[in-house]
Amino acid sequence: MNNHEQLMPDNIVNWTSTADETRFTIKNMAKLSLRISERLENKELVSIPIEEAPFPLTLRWQIGTYF
């Protein structure tokens, strides 16, 4: 998760992370804690909340090859 901070918009603050978990705040909205629940090498990462989130949430990063 360490590399994902640079992909986040400006309203994401207080980012902390390890290889498998992250915690951050969406300004004026919510604090979130996520962990990687599934890795499909060179295809997809799936993250789910570690703690109760203020709304249903699953983040999926799909990795593709573009020509």
Side-chain angles (χ1 to χ4, degrees):
M1 298 294 282
N2 292 324
N3 294 330
H4 294 223
E5 180 178 13
Q6 54 199 345
L7 301 173
M8 296 294 122
D10 292 338
N11 65 338
I12 302 297
V13 295
N14 302 323
W15 179 280
T16 59
S17 61
T18 66
D20 295 320
E21 296 182 358
T22 187
R23 295 174 191 275
F24 58 90
T25 301
I26 304 171
K27 281 185 188 176
N28 301 318
M29 204 171 138
K31 291 183 182 180
L32 295 173
S33 301
L34 304 172
R35 75 172 162 77
I36 302 255
S37 63
E38 186 177 349
R39 277 189 172 94
L40 300 173
E41 189 172 342
N42 297 319
K43 293 187 188 253
E44 184 177 53
L45 294 173
V46 180
S47 296
I48 59 172
I50 299 169
E51 301 167 357
E52 187 174 341
F55 44 82
L57 175 67
T58 300
L59 282 177
R60 294 178 185 274
W61 284 272
Q62 293 185 336
I63 303 160
T65 303
Y66 298 96
F67 297 94

